[in-house]
Amino acid sequence: FFFFFFFWIIWFFFSLSLSLSKDEPVHTHTHTQREFGDKHVSPCLGFLILLGGRASQDNNNNGNGAMHWFPWGFFVGLCILATVPTTLSSGVTLVAIGKGNAALALMIVVVTNALGVVVTPLWIQAYAAASLLIRTSTTSTSTTTTTSISNLDSTSLLINLVLTVLVPLVAGKVVREILHCVGGDGSFFDMQTHKRWLVHVSSLSLIIIVWMNVSVGEAQLKAQNGKSISTLVALGILFHLTLLALNAPVVLATMRNQHTASQRWWLPSKEGKAALILSSQKTLPVSLTVLSMLPSEVFETTSIINDSKEQRGLAAVACVVAQICELFMDGAIASWWAGLDVEEEEQ
């Protein structure tokens, strides 16, 4: 109940704070199509992550595991992070800092998160069908051998995501329109005036959810050594660098004719900045939502009995660490972009 309540708070207040700038155009044709395509590229990295995790688990069971110190929960967390859509307010903020098209960024956030409600369960079902997310179990008797594959109920996951993400998102927009507070038109409650507090409440709810998830795996988290944590940070950085490397050439190729004012051909246009940052980032709230809805079989390992709760907490830690890495990296990129734009304006 508490998870559901705080997830509702995040999306409801995020929807209340939504506002598009009327002074900035939203060019949607090429960038939204590319953004949707990127959401089908990053989940493929989830297959590689799970393949590496299963190989590590199998080697551990055989007694020759090279990564026995890296828990299965970290692999699951990074895999789920690969399937979810882009970040919420943090992505829009970074685009604005980098002198990008914040209106387009906001539109991408809303559309891709709504689309992710449908796409994410399908990718998770694909992982389960490949016996990567949930291992195939085989039972043998003296006369027969039975193999059973545990598949995730993608329909149930889809319904839960609709109730947790899409419904509060729509409800917040409806309430905002009812109060007639779009753009601060002098109504009795101006959402723009209280936007900072709306964002603070949403952020506080996210912090509470992270704390609830991490506290479940407190014992296993304390048992991790510096080697496993540093490897998790390195994988988080590598994951984000891979997405940037895949998306950057597409962004530069599609806006070559648009960015003629700058002599720096490698500097993205305003729309390109929004597309590059948001197509390379992953949202933490949806990741934690999906983790809370996955069955315990996903987090079970053969080395420790009944450790699914602890592994679920470690999966949440992996999502948090990966997003912290991407925020620091994109923050540096956005500041660099802003500095280059200032130099061009002065010339």
Side-chain angles (χ1 to χ4, degrees):
F1 171 77
F2 288 106
F3 278 107
F4 182 80
F5 173 76
F6 286 116
F7 283 130
W8 246 80
I9 291 295
I10 290 175
W11 289 101
F12 182 76
F13 279 84
F14 170 74
S15 182
L16 283 178
S17 63
L18 287 179
S19 63
L20 289 174
S21 174
K22 297 180 180 180
D23 299 328
E24 197 164 17
V26 179
H27 304 288
T28 62
H29 180 61
T30 58
H31 296 287
T32 51
Q33 289 180 353
R34 181 171 66 252
E35 177 70 15
F36 294 155
D38 291 334
K39 297 314 166 191
H40 297 281
V41 173
S42 60
C44 294
L45 298 178
F47 279 103
L48 298 179
I49 295 171
L50 288 179
L51 285 172
R54 284 304 181 188
S56 176
Q57 290 294 309
D58 292 340
N59 291 333
N60 291 342
N61 297 335
N62 295 330
N64 56 354
M67 294 183 66
H68 58 86
W69 37 266
F70 199 77
W72 169 245
F74 285 167
F75 287 107
V76 175
L78 293 175
C79 164
I80 297 303
L81 193 69
T83 65
V84 299
T86 188
T87 51
L88 303 181
S89 56
S90 58
V92 179
T93 302
L94 288 172
V95 171
I97 292 174
K99 307 298 182 181
N101 192 326
L104 175 63
L106 186 57
M107 190 211 67
I108 291 176
V109 168
V110 175
V111 175
T112 53
N113 275 273
L115 184 66
V117 171
V118 179
V119 175
T120 298
L122 297 179
W123 278 107
I124 294 177
Q125 179 68 39
Y127 297 152
S131 297
L132 293 175
L133 200 57
I134 297 181
R135 179 59 96 189
T136 303
S137 58
T138 303
T139 57
S140 301
T141 62
S142 58
T143 58
T144 61
T145 301
T146 304
T147 302
S148 61
I149 301 178
S150 298
N151 287 326
L152 290 170
D153 186 0
S154 58
T155 303
S156 176
L157 183 58
L158 171 61
I159 294 174
N160 287 329
L161 283 177
V162 168
L163 294 177
T164 310
V165 177
L166 205 55
V167 171
L169 192 64
V170 174
K173 182 61 176 176
V174 171
V175 171
R176 182 185 177 94
E177 294 297 331
I178 291 176
L179 295 177
H180 302 288
C181 296
V182 179
D185 55 358
S187 58
F188 69 95
F189 187 79
D190 186 3
M191 291 295 180
Q192 288 303 108
T193 303
H194 301 84
K195 183 176 180 179
R196 178 179 297 181
W197 293 105
L198 296 175
V199 174
H200 287 341
V201 172
S202 181
S203 300
L204 179 60
S205 299
L206 179 59
I207 293 173
I208 294 175
I209 291 174
V210 171
W211 172 74
M212 293 172 67
N213 277 276
V214 173
S215 62
V216 173
E218 180 183 2
Q220 284 242 6
L221 182 60
K222 290 181 178 179
Q224 302 304 311
N225 53 29
K227 190 176 183 181
S228 63
I229 299 299
S230 59
T231 302
L232 176 61
V233 174
L235 288 177
I237 295 174
L238 179 61
F239 177 77
H240 190 55
L241 285 176
T242 302
L243 292 179
L244 288 173
L246 292 174
N247 295 324
V250 181
V251 170
L252 293 175
T254 55
M255 67 183 180
R256 182 170 299 173
N257 296 328
Q258 300 176 19
H259 201 51
T260 56
S262 174
Q263 299 300 321
R264 301 183 175 97
W265 61 268
W266 42 265
L267 180 63
S269 63
K270 289 186 175 183
E271 291 76 24
K273 292 174 182 178
L276 179 58
I277 287 183
L278 292 177
S279 62
S280 304
Q281 287 195 347
K282 297 297 178 180
T283 176
L284 184 59
V286 178
S287 302
L288 299 180
T289 303
V290 174
L291 286 176
S292 66
M293 296 175 182
L294 293 179
S296 59
E297 290 83 4
V298 172
F299 304 94
E300 289 180 353
T301 61
T302 56
S303 58
I304 303 176
I305 306 300
N306 296 328
D307 66 334
S308 60
K309 290 185 178 181
E310 289 77 9
Q311 294 296 329
R312 192 188 299 269
L314 293 180
V317 172
C319 294
V320 173
V321 170
Q323 193 182 55
I324 291 175
C325 293
E326 72 180 22
L327 290 178
F328 273 103
M329 295 169 65
D330 288 344
I333 293 174
S335 299
W336 177 54
W337 282 344
L340 292 177
D341 285 350
V342 171
E343 292 180 4
E344 285 197 347
E345 293 175 357
E346 294 177 349
Q347 292 177 355

